Amino acid sequence: MDNCLFCRIVNREIPSRIVYEDDLVLGFYDIQPKSPVHVLLIPKEHIGSFNELTRDHDRLMAHLTAHIPIVAEKLGIKNSGYRVVVNCGRDSGQEVAHLHYHILGGRPMENNFG
Ligand code: 5GP
Ligand code: ZN
């Protein structure tokens, strides 16, 4: 999608600090980190949110999800623990309409889901 921020990051039209990349997914540091370690893990394919998922995305989503602990290990937070957040739609506060996992770690977190 031409005007999608994260598609433009995938296409290198906007720079980012990449931590993991393969043919299907990209992991990069969040520009406004909410914890000492805050990485976004996205499918390279444009999917607006969980609400746009179809069964055609099953393999891609399994691949994406399986890479959460792989990225966490690379970031050094696999054993200390981390939180995975997905925002979907207006009430969640989703700002970028390209599906993404937030991977947050590097400090203890409260069980406050806002
Ligand atoms: P959302 O609120 O949609 O779940 O999360 C969007 C995230 O994208 C936010 O945490 C925000 O800081 C991050 N973000 C917004 N613009 C950019 C950018 O240009 N580069 C990077 N690396 N992250 C961004
Ligand atoms: Zn996109």
Side-chain angles (χ1 to χ4, degrees), residues 6-7 12 16 19 21-22 24 28 32 35 44 49 51-52 54 62-63 68 78 81 83 87 91 93 99-100 107 112:
F6 288 175
C7 284
R12 306 296 205 275
S16 70
V19 294
E21 179 171 27
D22 64 26
L24 296 176
F28 54 96
Q32 282 188 289
S35 55
K44 288 187 168 179
S49 78
N51 286 348
E52 291 184 11
T54 71
H63 182 91
I68 293 171
K78 185 176 176 186
R83 177 169 289 173
N87 292 318
D91 279 358
L99 194 155
H100 50 282
R107 65 167 167 82
N112 173 358

Side-chain angles (χ1 to χ4, degrees), residues 78-98:
K78 185 176 176 186
N79 293 327
S80 51
Y82 52 91
R83 177 169 289 173
V84 179
V85 172
V86 180
N87 292 318
C88 181
R90 186 191 59 210
D91 279 358
S92 74
Q94 182 182 6
E95 287 176 358
V96 179
H98 182 128

Side-chain angles (χ1 to χ4, degrees), residues 1 4 6-7 46-47 97-98:
M1 281 247 298
C4 170
F6 288 175
C7 284
H46 181 85
I47 302 169
H98 182 128

